[in-house]
Amino acid sequence: MPHLVPRYATPATARCRRHERGFTLLEILVVIAILGLLIGLVAPAALRQLGGARNSVATQSIARLGSVLDLYKLDVGTYPSTEQGLQALTTKPADAATWNGPYLKGDTLPTDPWNHPYLYRNPSNRAGHDYDLCSLGANGQGGGSEICNP
């Protein structure tokens, strides 16, 4: 009688089973450590880029609003007063006989990338400027982080 060997004990199936074992705990820990290092290095750089992008959007929005204010001045003859504010771009002020607006689409005034209203002052507190149009930055308080019209 031939010697019977169980099917699962043949060298071919034993080789197959060795390849199907999966990952060891050490291999999984190494992969997790590598992923943690990559996230630790990439996340701060990505957050810095996001902050820089918001600053860039604020600068571009202020420039666009400055162009709209220039159109208002061409029609009315002066920039809106501080009391009229940017609202004068969407709603006709009582003393603006040659107002040709609205100069902005929609009824709401634009906000900066941090969802804060823009600060508008006329006359300007800065020398050489007709008006101040500023974003107070991420904290909404200013304090050196404000972005203003050039």
Side-chain angles (χ1 to χ4, degrees):
M1 182 155 158
H3 184 264
L4 294 175
V5 178
R7 183 174 179 172
Y8 60 87
T10 61
T13 58
R15 232 181 298 129
C16 249
R17 286 182 185 256
R18 260 182 283 163
H19 294 296
E20 294 176 4
R21 284 192 312 200
F23 298 106
T24 64
L25 181 60
L26 181 62
E27 292 170 330
I28 292 173
L29 289 175
V30 167
V31 169
I32 290 173
I34 291 171
L35 288 174
L37 286 172
L38 286 174
I39 289 171
L41 295 173
V42 171
L47 291 176
R48 276 193 305 275
Q49 288 294 328
L50 178 62
R54 285 186 176 181
N55 288 340
S56 177
V57 168
T59 302
Q60 292 171 3
S61 296
I62 288 171
R64 274 186 263 124
L65 280 172
S67 297
V68 172
L69 285 166
D70 290 339
L71 288 173
Y72 178 93
K73 182 182 179 186
L74 283 173
D75 288 343
V76 177
T78 62
Y79 290 109
S81 67
T82 301
E83 293 76 28
Q84 292 169 335
L86 296 177
Q87 189 66 40
L89 300 175
T90 59
T91 307
K92 181 180 180 181
D95 61 345
T98 56
W99 189 80
N100 196 21
Y103 298 90
L104 297 173
K105 291 182 181 178
D107 295 334
T108 59
L109 294 176
T111 57
D112 69 8
W114 298 276
N115 208 27
H116 301 123
Y118 286 102
L119 175 67
Y120 175 77
R121 284 186 300 258
N122 181 19
S124 174
N125 292 345
R126 301 176 297 147
H129 293 86
D130 294 323
Y131 60 87
D132 290 333
L133 180 60
C134 301
S135 165
L136 297 178
N139 63 7
Q141 304 294 319
S145 66
E146 54 189 40
I147 302 165
C148 294
N149 58 311

